[in-house]
Amino acid sequence: MENSDITNDLDKDIESIQAVVCDLNGILRGKRVPVSQIDKVTGGGIRMPLSIVGVDIWGEDIVGSEQVFIHGDNDGICEPTGRGVVPVRWTQRPSAMVPLWMFEESGKPFLADPRQALAAIVKQYNEMGLYPVVGSELEFYLIDSEPDYPEPPISPYTGKRLDSDAILSIDELDDFGNFFSDVYAECERQNVPADAAIAENGIGQFEITLLHGNDPLKAADDIMFAKRIIKGVARKHGFAATFMAKPYGTRSGNGMHMHMSLVDKDGKNVFADADGENTDLFKHCVAGMLKGMSESTLLFAPHFNSYRRLRPDTHAPTSITWGFENRTAAIRIPGGGPKSRRIEHRVPGADANPYLAMAAILGAALVGIKNKWMPPRPIEGRAYGERLKKIPSEWGGAVDAFEDGEIMEEVFSPLLRNMLVACKRQEIAGFAEQVTDYEFSAYLEIV
């Protein structure tokens, strides 16, 4: 489509364009430009510092960053991802967003850009004649927009604050029906394939399924856009939405379960043979995910709060296990016929960067395929046993495992790994400096 056609197709009331890239924390960063500059945005005329993808969760540069202080904080070229101009209708003034990804001055992909990292993995699959099919389940809490801490929202229907769990409650979905109607309308505008919505386990917790497709880049884009839509529409309706992994210490956490399968050039699922049995290719993928799980946990649980979710008997996994129809295992194989044979990875939290989480899953599976690894026997029953090998349960340990991991070394570029490790170590230092009210109550005049 020519740029003039894009301009003509824009809604007439749109005044500004948000030109955005995704950083390593899964946060969109960029510029607001007048709609008159749409040709510049869609034509690759926007430049931003390459270091922008590596800032910490507070938006601060990394102290001693190689990208900033050795390379002079040079700019990258920001090209459109191909998604086009995405309408944003829930803000005070209607606007539009153009998703971008970063390239070096030479034109080479900047591999510390999370989307570029995922694209590099997908390209390897395609060169082998394999095409990943990916879908996701995204959990979130609706919360009161006023306090600085999570508090359940007031039902727009009853006028009362939610005070109990309501898993699979149709009444609770009805209470927030106008919110969900607007979410689905915005998803349709942005070509996000939102499917079923359910009330989840926690007070005010919900889940939306995003339909699977054979374009992992679009699938990761869809998660990014869905999260932004849900947060924006929640504010429009007078409450807020959070994708924190564990906003309430004693209630269910927010997961981002990812489903993947592989098809060949004819669209045939290669995870099952003609008799419906699991293929060696399927087993190689499972084995790769299991072997790479410790060193990839940082991509699934990237924040301080993430590790509050990964606790026993919480419907979140804690052991490096797989099983058939087993929701306590890290990797679950759902039921269904050969055409729907797939792997569900249950470790990622809703706070994870979807590009990096997806790249870690597909990348580890790819390493398993290349090495023809075979998995151990699937677990039956409760996967929280003490003797089972554990997923890292502490943030710093996950950073170390990622930095030292040989499988992740094959999956991600050295630059991305170095930038992410530096980012996380700076964030760990920031949290370590904070003394909480809980500590004061425990120690201040007692010890």
Side-chain angles (χ1 to χ4, degrees), residues 4-254:
S4 58
D5 295 331
I6 294 173
T7 305
N8 293 335
D9 287 343
L10 286 175
D11 293 340
K12 301 303 180 186
D13 56 351
I14 288 177
E15 299 174 357
S16 64
I17 301 293
Q18 301 157 359
V20 299
V21 297
C22 179
D23 76 5
L24 292 173
N25 275 315
I27 297 171
L28 294 178
R29 301 189 183 276
K31 301 179 179 181
R32 169 179 165 147
V33 299
V35 71
S36 60
Q37 293 196 36
I38 184 64
D39 288 358
K40 178 180 179 180
V41 178
T42 59
I46 293 289
R47 299 172 69 91
M48 284 187 263
L50 292 170
S51 63
I52 197 69
V53 302
V55 296
D56 67 21
I57 196 69
W58 302 286
E60 299 288 340
D61 278 330
I62 305 304
V63 175
S65 166
E66 177 181 325
Q67 189 63 46
V68 174
F69 298 106
I70 295 180
H71 297 299
D73 204 14
N74 52 319
D75 277 347
I77 300 168
C78 301
E79 295 280 356
T81 64
R83 191 73 175 231
V85 181
V86 179
V88 179
R89 305 298 298 181
W90 58 83
T91 49
Q92 289 181 337
R93 308 281 296 196
S95 61
M97 179 177 70
V98 178
L100 307 169
W101 53 348
M102 304 194 84
F103 293 80
E104 298 177 9
E105 193 71 45
S106 64
K108 291 172 53 179
F110 181 57
L111 291 179
D113 178 322
R115 197 175 191 275
Q116 295 283 15
L118 176 58
I121 297 296
V122 173
K123 181 181 178 182
Q124 292 183 58
Y125 274 100
N126 295 165
E127 289 171 348
M128 298 168 65
L130 296 171
Y131 302 87
V133 176
V134 182
S136 61
E137 300 165 300
L138 188 59
E139 295 173 341
F140 62 96
Y141 276 92
L142 293 179
I143 57 175
D144 194 311
S145 62
E146 293 299 322
D148 292 331
Y149 52 86
E151 185 173 20
I154 294 173
S155 165
Y157 181 71
T158 66
K160 298 179 180 179
R161 192 174 301 280
L162 301 186
D163 61 2
S164 62
D165 296 344
I167 188 166
L168 295 178
S169 168
I170 297 300
D171 290 340
E172 194 149 301
L173 287 171
D174 287 344
D175 287 359
F176 293 90
N178 289 336
F179 162 76
F180 279 103
S181 292
D182 282 355
V183 166
Y184 279 102
E186 297 299 336
C187 284
E188 185 173 357
R189 283 194 184 98
Q190 296 194 3
N191 189 25
V192 174
D195 191 35
I198 63 170
E200 259 294 349
N201 221 23
I203 300 176
Q205 188 185 31
F206 299 92
E207 175 188 280
I208 285 186
T209 300
L210 302 181
L211 291 173
H212 63 273
N214 63 355
D215 183 350
L217 289 169
K218 183 181 184 301
D221 291 342
D222 290 338
I223 296 171
M224 288 293 302
F225 297 167
K227 289 176 70 171
R228 193 161 185 266
I229 287 168
I230 289 166
K231 288 191 282 190
V233 172
R235 286 288 179 181
K236 175 183 173 183
H237 283 264
F239 32 85
T242 181
F243 293 89
M244 279 181 68
K246 195 79 166 179
Y248 300 100
T250 59
R251 299 199 176 274
S252 295
N254 285 324

Side-chain angles (χ1 to χ4, degrees), residues 111 116-122 124-125 128 288 291-292 295-296 299 359-373 401-417:
L111 291 179
Q116 295 283 15
L118 176 58
I121 297 296
V122 173
Q124 292 183 58
Y125 274 100
M128 298 168 65
K291 280 182 177 286
E295 57 191 81
S296 59
L299 291 314
I361 292 169
L362 295 178
L366 185 64
V367 176
I369 292 171
K370 290 178 178 178
N371 288 284
K372 294 183 167 56
W373 287 333
F402 175 76
E403 183 178 35
D404 297 336
E406 295 179 359
I407 294 174
M408 290 301 101
E409 187 175 18
E410 291 190 47
V411 174
F412 295 104
S413 74
L415 181 59
L416 185 148
R417 291 169 65 238

